[in-house]
């Protein structure tokens, strides 16, 4: 290794050596620590949406000045993926590319410029295959198959469930409403792009720094993809500038930099540009939805049959879970006596979709809340009164066996309607001005882990010593949501000390106990409960030592304001530091652990593990709009939102989460869309992202943000730490349907899809003027061959959480048919 490939860190003792280091220009000493210079990695991405890779010629790139290494798919032995049922991704594609942006090769060079130049020297020969543009296209063209493991053609996953005889309920209903909705896909748009650094340590072990939300799952994926024991890999989740679900998958670049660092013995860094982040995606699924809902003469729900069709993109990602989430939470908000759903996720030649804030539940919430508004209009009922009449009860067990704890939704509805003057203003404003109401519910952490096992979902470790300092270790990841603050505050509350006396170490797989990651709004509840357990164990050890010193019982010992004292005895008081000295004298070195595992879900049927949560949050929102009937231009002057978060552990951070959700919801409602287009035939006819940059992909700025009136409703939940529930995702869900309902109140037209744009409003107004329904949205839902449903009687019909049938999965019978598809390529 030459001097130009190294830099030095001043060490001790220092003996001068003639000359200066050629890289740093600094005088070198004989005992300086010499570290290898950082290298940079860039990925070559496919420019075709679906093709076989016939050859990859990297010879010219390897000879390019400054290039240290060129990698291709042949350098990586295994597939990986976030779910055990979808191990379908490769660090670099070996045999096939499946969307424009799929990585094919990697160049590692002295700097990004040399790496970029070398990418242009790589020659890839492709054999084009048929391109699937959307789910209906995928249904109609099973021969252009993306994955051999798909259920049939390009069907990734089909689900069918019945909780009671819904058809009977619909037949007996006073009114049945049938509506079709569409929710366009969109992306996360975090301020910070993805980045990773891999480095091989002196002992041969690997360290990976990454802007990930889930270091534990990245840890697993790297080990699997590269055949490295997990014990030889360290993953450090760097505090990152936003994730919103977009950094919960393991990614190609993370695995590539580890491989490169292993081969070269030097640190390798890969920073994705904004266009590449659009290709990584994992954003909101485009979803087509069909609701058939029955109500009685008073508007109470009698039954619902929901069908959803998801555009999953090119890979599995979280797709199986996403498919369930487009349906399973509907009964959690309002009482639904009988419920059925069918859901289908399709593979298409687009960047893979995955979990975005509100994972999978945002799309059906839009449909249900707009349909409830239509039901209220048909029955001539106040939409707020209709919802108040059907709100689910605290402690209820839903038709699909989801156990509800506390529920403050009725108070949320009453709060926002009182704040905005609903009774005096709804339906009474001048033309062009309107108000819309919508509600929602969301998980406070998923009740099951991705890899099912009996181990804890979160662990916390405390180290206490005679200096008075407490160090807390946890695998949870700080992504800007304030989880480190919650962790420190929880420990400080239990031990009665200043948060500044606590040092927090998080997101490091070598140093911290496992936490499954920052997703599904799980961290406050699961990490918080683990922290309480660890802190209470430490408190018990300290109390025992202090009680012995004061010759009293441990129940008389209290902790407050950095002191440990005997209640009622003012002279019996120690500083926290001296109390730790007593405890260390009694117990030796002080350390405790805590962990949290969610309760077992009540649903025992196959698939019943998706949807259960230790607690559910609830939200109600009213959106005000001004609509210009000449131009269709829509502005939002004001949003009222009330969120039942159990208890606000940090009101400032909680308010920020709620209002951040409003901001993101408005972007999805008004302008954001991950839309695709085909290039002209002379330019390959490829399916490409229409707006893969922040110049074209529009999201709200501070100038677009309306006044937000926020109320935090506290209904403590027994399962939450100090009663807390989530606040980071649930408040997003009602914003889009509330805005759509406000447009109807303002100008009397329905926009049954998002985003809601000026063009769509004008189109609906024109349709209404011509005597039409005054609606823009999808007209139909395609015919899909659904599997036999799992039939699970609801609790009030004698059900015990088990299915009464065992549907046959037809996959094995169709393997011969699928073999034929392998031999046929649609052009």
């Amino acid at each position: 290794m030459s001097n130009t490939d190294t830099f030095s860190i001043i060490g001790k003792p220092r003996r001068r050596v003639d000359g200066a280091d050629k890289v740093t220009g600094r005088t070198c000493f004989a005992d300086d620590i010499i570290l290898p210079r950082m290298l940079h990695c860039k990925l070559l991405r496919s420019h075709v949406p679906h093709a076989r890779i016939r050859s990859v010629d990297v010879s010219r790139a390897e000879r390019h000045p400054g290039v240290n290494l060129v990698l291709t798919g042949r350098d990586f032995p295994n597939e990986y993926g976030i779910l055990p049922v979808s191990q379908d991704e490769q660090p670099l594609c070996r045999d096939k590319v499946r969307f424009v942006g799929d990585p094919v090769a990697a160049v590692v060079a002295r700097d990004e410029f040399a790496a970029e130049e070398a990418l242009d020297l790589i020659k890839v020969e492709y054999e084009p295959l048929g391109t699937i543009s959307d789910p209906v296209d995928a249904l109609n063209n099973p021969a252009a198959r993306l994955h051999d493991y798909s259920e049939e053609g390009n069907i990734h996953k089909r689900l069918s469930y019945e909780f009671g005889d819904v058809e009977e309920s619909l037949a007996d209903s006073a009114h049945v409403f049938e509506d079709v909705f569409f929710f366009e896909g969109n992306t996360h748009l975090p301020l910070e792009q993805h980045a990773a650094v891999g480095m091989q340590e002196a002992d041969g072990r690997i360290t990976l720094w990454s802007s990930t939300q889930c270091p534990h799952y990245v840890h697993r994926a790297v080990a699997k993809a590269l055949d490295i024991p997990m014990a030889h890999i360290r993953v450090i989740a760097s505090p990152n500038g936003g994730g919103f679900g977009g950094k919960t998958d393991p990614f190609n670049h993370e695995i590539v930099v580890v491989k490169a660092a292993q081969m070269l013995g030097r640190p390798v860094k890969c920073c994705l540009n904004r266009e590449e982040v659009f290709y990584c995606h994992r954003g909101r699924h485009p979803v087509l939805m069909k609701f058939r809902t029955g109500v009685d003469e008073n508007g109470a729900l009698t039954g619902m049959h929901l069908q959803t069709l998801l555009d999953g993109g090119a890979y599995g990602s979280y797709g199986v879970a996403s498919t369930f989430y487009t349906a399973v939470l509907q009964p959690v908000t309002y009482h639904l006596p009988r419920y059925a759903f069918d859901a289908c996720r399709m593979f298409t030649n687009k960047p893979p979709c995955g979990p975005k804030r509100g994972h999978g539940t945002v799309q059906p919430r839009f449909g249900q809340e707009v349909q409830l508004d239509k039901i209220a209009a048909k029955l001539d009922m106040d939409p707020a009164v209709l919802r108040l009449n059907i709100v689910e009860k605290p402690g209820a067990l839903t038709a699909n066996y989801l156990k509800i704890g506390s529920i403050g939704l009725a108070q949320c509805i009453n709060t926002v309607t009182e704040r905005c003057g609903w009774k005096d203003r709804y339906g009474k404003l001048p033309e062009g001005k309107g108000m819309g109401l919508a509600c929602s519910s969301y998980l406070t952490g998923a009740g099951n882990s991705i890899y099912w096992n009996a181990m804890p979902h979160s662990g916390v470790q405390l180290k206490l010593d005679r200096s008075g300092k407490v160090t807390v270790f946890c695998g949870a990841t700080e992504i800007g949501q304030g989880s480190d603050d919650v962790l420190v505050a929880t420990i400080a509350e239990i031990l009665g000390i200043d948060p500044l006396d606590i040092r927090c170490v998080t997101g490091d797989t070598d140093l911290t106990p496992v936490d499954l990651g920052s997703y599904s709004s799980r961290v406050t509840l699961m990490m918080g409960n683990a922290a309480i357990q660890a802190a209470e164990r430490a408190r018990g050890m300290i109390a025992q030592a202090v009680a012995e010193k004061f010759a009293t019982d441990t129940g008389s010992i209290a902790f407050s304001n950095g002191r440990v004292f005997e209640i009622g005895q003012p002279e019996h008081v120690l500083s926290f530091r001296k109390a730790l000295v007593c405890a260390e004298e009694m117990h030796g070195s002080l350390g405790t652990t805590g962990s949290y595992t969610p309760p077992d879900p009540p649903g025992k049927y196959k698939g019943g593990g998706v949807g259960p949560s230790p607690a559910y949050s609830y939200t109600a929102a009213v959106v005000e709009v001004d609509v210009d009937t000449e131009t269709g231009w829509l502005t939002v002057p004001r949003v009222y939102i009330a969120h039942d978060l159990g208890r606000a552990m940090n009101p400032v951070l909680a308010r920020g989460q709620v209002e951040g959700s409003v901001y993101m919801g408005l972007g999805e409602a008004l302008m954001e869309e991950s839309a695709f287009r085909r290039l002209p035939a002379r330019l390959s006819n490829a399916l490409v992202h229409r707006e893969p940059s922040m110049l074209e992909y529009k999201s709200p700025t501070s100038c677009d943000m309306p006044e937000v009136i926020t109320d935090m409703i506290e209904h403590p939940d027994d399962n939450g730490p100090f009663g807390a529930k989530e606040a980071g995702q649930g408040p997003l869900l009602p914003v889009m349907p509330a805005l759509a309902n406000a447009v109807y109140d303002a100008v009397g037209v329905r926009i049954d899809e998002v985003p809601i744009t000026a063009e769509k409003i004008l189109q609906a107004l024109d349709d209404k003027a011509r005597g039409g329904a005054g609606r823009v949205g999808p007209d139909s839902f395609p015919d899909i061959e659904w599997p036999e449903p799992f039939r699970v009687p609801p609790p009030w019909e004698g059900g015990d959480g088990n299915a009464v049938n065992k549907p046959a999965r037809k996959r094995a019978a169709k393997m011969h048919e699928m073999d034929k598809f392998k031999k046929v390529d649609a052009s």
Side-chain angles (χ1 to χ4, degrees):
M1 187 178 290
S2 68
N3 284 342
T4 57
D5 292 329
T6 66
F7 63 91
S8 61
I9 297 176
I10 295 176
K12 295 180 180 180
R14 295 162 58 190
R15 291 183 289 107
R16 182 162 183 158
V17 177
D18 289 338
D21 181 82
K22 293 183 179 180
V23 175
T24 63
R26 189 177 60 236
T27 300
C28 289
F29 297 86
D31 293 300
D32 283 1
I33 302 168
I34 304 299
L35 294 181
R37 183 182 177 89
M38 179 85 74
L39 299 174
H40 295 266
C41 175
K42 298 300 290 184
L43 302 178
L44 177 68
R45 298 180 179 273
S46 169
H47 65 276
V48 296
H50 195 197
R52 284 198 179 92
I53 300 173
R54 286 305 185 194
S55 65
V56 182
D57 182 356
V58 301
S59 57
R60 293 177 62 206
E62 289 176 327
R63 295 193 299 269
H64 188 68
V67 170
N68 294 72
L69 179 67
V70 181
L71 296 170
T72 68
R74 301 299 174 189
D75 295 302
F76 297 90
N78 301 320
E79 284 74 22
Y80 70 95
I82 184 64
L83 298 186
V85 295
S86 300
Q87 299 287 302
D88 58 1
E89 298 190 58
Q90 299 165 350
L92 298 172
C93 298
R94 287 195 298 268
D95 305 308
K96 184 189 282 190
V97 293
R98 295 175 172 87
F99 68 96
V100 172
D102 229 355
V104 177
V107 173
V108 180
R110 67 190 176 202
D111 54 45
E112 288 187 311
F113 302 107
E116 287 277 10
E117 291 168 354
L119 290 182
D120 294 334
L121 302 178
I122 299 174
K123 183 179 180 181
V124 184
E125 182 183 351
Y126 294 107
E127 178 189 334
L129 301 173
T131 303
I132 301 299
S133 60
D134 58 57
V136 175
D137 189 13
L139 288 168
N140 294 334
N141 294 284
R145 197 175 182 195
L146 274 72
H147 294 282
D148 291 341
Y149 78 91
S150 56
E151 285 190 6
E152 178 181 343
N154 284 301
I155 297 173
H156 179 204
K157 188 67 177 178
R158 280 177 300 190
L159 308 170
S160 190
Y161 290 83
E162 290 182 1
F163 304 94
D165 191 338
V166 172
E167 292 304 318
E168 179 183 73
S169 293
L170 295 178
D172 294 340
S173 298
H175 304 276
V176 176
F177 295 81
E178 183 172 312
D179 293 284
V180 184
F181 302 94
F182 178 66
F183 201 107
E184 181 60 275
N186 48 67
T187 197
H188 313 82
L189 218 65
L191 288 178
E192 183 192 39
Q193 294 140 215
H194 298 33
V197 176
M199 186 175 76
Q200 188 172 41
E201 307 288 353
D203 60 2
R205 301 187 186 202
I206 293 291
T207 298
L208 170 66
W209 291 265
S210 182
S211 55
T212 177
Q213 296 177 231
C214 301
H216 172 65
Y217 291 123
V218 171
H219 194 194
R220 295 184 68 124
V222 171
K224 181 181 185 297
L226 299 179
D227 280 334
I228 305 173
M230 289 182 69
H232 295 181
I233 304 169
R234 178 185 186 185
V235 178
I236 300 173
S238 306
N240 59 75
F244 313 115
K247 298 173 182 174
T248 57
D249 278 78
F251 285 99
N252 314 79
H253 65 280
E254 294 168 321
I255 299 169
V256 168
V257 297
V258 169
K259 179 69 173 180
Q262 218 182 8
M263 294 178 68
L264 296 170
R266 298 171 64 175
V268 178
K269 181 177 184 178
C270 185
C271 297
L272 303 189
N273 60 37
R274 182 62 64 177
E275 184 176 359
E276 290 180 294
V277 174
F278 276 95
Y279 294 146
C280 287
H281 194 42
R282 318 300 160 127
R284 186 88 68 215
H285 284 74
V287 178
L288 183 67
M289 300 160 278
K290 178 182 177 182
F291 285 79
R292 292 175 61 227
T293 304
V295 298
D296 64 18
E297 61 278 0
N298 297 315
L301 301 176
T302 57
M304 177 187 291
H305 186 185
L306 169 60
Q307 294 179 314
T308 63
L309 179 62
L310 295 78
D311 186 337
Y315 292 101
S317 183
Y318 284 83
V320 173
S322 308
T323 308
F324 273 100
Y325 280 132
T326 61
V328 294
L329 292 193
Q330 301 313 108
V332 171
T333 314
Y334 309 110
H335 182 63
L336 193 52
R338 289 177 174 175
Y339 180 50
F341 72 82
D342 305 304
C344 178
R345 185 180 192 261
M346 305 299 299
F347 286 125
T348 61
N349 293 117
K350 300 176 184 176
C353 297
K356 185 187 175 185
R357 199 174 195 169
H359 185 193
T361 67
V362 172
Q363 301 93 321
R365 179 55 50 192
F366 173 79
Q368 184 175 11
E369 293 297 319
V370 173
Q371 189 182 60
L372 283 174
D373 207 63
K374 294 182 180 184
I375 292 171
K378 177 70 174 179
L379 300 183
D380 196 24
M381 290 184 66
D382 184 324
V385 173
L386 182 143
R387 287 171 170 83
L388 284 168
N389 290 343
I390 60 175
V391 166
E392 191 52 280
K393 301 293 188 294
L397 187 62
T398 68
N400 59 336
Y401 291 86
L402 302 182
K403 179 64 175 177
I404 297 172
S406 68
I407 172 170
L409 181 55
Q411 186 176 346
C412 290
I413 295 172
N414 287 327
T415 298
V416 293
T417 53
E418 288 172 10
R419 284 273 197 179
C420 71
W422 178 268
K423 291 182 180 179
D424 298 325
R425 300 175 64 207
Y426 175 72
K428 303 171 185 177
L429 296 173
E431 184 180 8
K433 296 183 180 294
M435 308 172 72
L437 169 69
C439 302
S440 70
S441 55
Y442 196 66
L443 308 157
T444 305
N448 285 296
S449 60
I450 290 173
Y451 290 81
W452 284 27
N453 54 61
M455 291 184 286
H457 289 211
S458 186
V460 169
Q461 182 177 356
L462 293 185
K463 181 180 76 69
L464 309 91
D465 63 49
R466 65 195 73 176
S467 70
K469 182 179 71 177
V470 176
T471 306
V472 54
F473 302 87
C474 181
T477 310
E478 174 61 70
I479 59 171
Q481 84 281 38
S483 60
D484 283 2
D485 179 271
V486 168
L487 179 59
V488 168
T490 300
I491 303 297
E493 179 72 17
I494 300 294
L495 297 181
I497 59 177
D498 191 321
L500 294 177
D501 293 332
I502 301 173
R503 180 173 182 178
C504 185
V505 179
T506 55
D508 185 327
T509 62
D510 255 19
L511 302 181
T512 63
V514 168
D515 178 274
L516 297 183
S518 294
Y519 64 94
S520 291
S521 283
R522 56 175 299 284
V523 176
T524 290
L525 186 141
M526 298 192 184
M527 176 196 72
N529 279 325
I532 287 174
Q533 186 180 80
E536 287 181 340
R537 287 172 175 172
R539 177 182 172 122
M541 295 173 70
I542 299 166
Q544 182 183 359
V546 174
E548 182 179 272
K549 180 178 179 65
F550 292 146
T552 186
D553 59 89
T554 58
S556 301
I557 302 300
F559 294 68
S560 180
N561 294 322
R563 302 174 304 140
V564 183
F565 54 91
E566 182 182 358
I567 299 172
Q569 299 293 329
E571 69 280 6
H572 287 177
V573 59
L574 296 175
S575 68
F576 185 75
R577 186 185 69 80
K578 290 185 177 180
L580 287 183
V581 170
C582 288
E584 195 168 335
E585 289 172 343
M586 173 180 282
H587 302 290
S589 297
L590 297 175
T592 63
T593 62
S595 59
Y596 177 77
T597 303
D600 292 336
K604 307 304 179 186
Y605 57 91
K606 183 177 181 180
V610 183
S613 177
Y616 297 92
S617 70
Y618 293 88
T619 315
V622 170
V623 174
E624 292 186 8
V625 299
D626 292 338
V627 180
D628 187 326
T629 55
E630 295 296 321
T631 64
W633 192 254
L634 169 65
T635 57
V636 179
R638 201 166 292 104
V639 174
Y640 303 84
I641 190 162
H643 180 63
D644 165 25
L645 76 176
R647 185 178 299 282
M649 295 182 65
N650 184 317
V652 174
L653 290 178
R655 185 178 296 272
Q657 289 291 298
V658 173
E659 295 180 1
S661 292
V662 171
Y663 163 82
M664 187 169 280
L666 289 173
E668 296 192 30
L670 295 171
M671 60 190 75
E672 294 190 40
E673 52 182 332
S674 291
F676 290 77
R677 61 188 176 90
R678 282 199 184 275
L679 294 177
R682 62 184 175 82
L683 297 177
S684 79
N685 201 38
L687 187 69
V688 298
H689 201 300
R690 198 176 72 191
E691 301 163 336
S693 84
M694 292 183 69
L695 291 175
E696 292 85 17
Y697 184 94
K698 302 302 181 186
S699 66
T701 69
S702 57
C703 298
D704 301 306
M705 192 64 180
E707 179 186 5
V708 180
I709 295 89
T710 304
D711 286 280
M712 292 181 289
I713 306 301
E714 295 192 312
H715 274 256
D717 194 287
D718 291 341
N719 284 336
F722 309 113
K725 301 192 289 189
E726 76 89 33
Q729 301 191 61
L732 178 147
L733 275 70
V735 175
M736 293 75 78
L739 189 145
N741 294 337
V743 170
Y744 177 75
D745 184 47
V747 293
V749 298
R750 293 285 182 188
I751 312 299
D752 287 346
E753 62 183 37
V754 294
I756 298 169
T757 63
E759 294 84 356
K760 293 175 183 177
I761 292 174
L762 285 179
Q763 183 182 343
L765 287 170
D766 183 62
D767 180 55
K768 182 180 178 182
R770 295 171 183 270
R775 174 186 178 271
V776 168
D779 296 321
S780 62
F781 192 92
D783 291 330
I784 298 174
E785 183 184 351
W786 300 107
E788 179 187 354
F790 286 92
R791 294 185 173 88
V792 185
W796 41 86
E797 295 183 13
D800 61 359
N802 288 291
V804 295
N805 65 329
K806 293 184 178 180
R809 303 291 94 176
K810 297 182 179 180
R811 185 171 180 176
K814 293 180 178 177
M815 289 307 294
H816 175 69
E817 183 181 359
M818 293 301 100
D819 286 340
K820 291 189 298 183
F821 291 152
K822 295 179 187 178
K823 302 172 185 177
V824 180
D825 294 323
S827 60

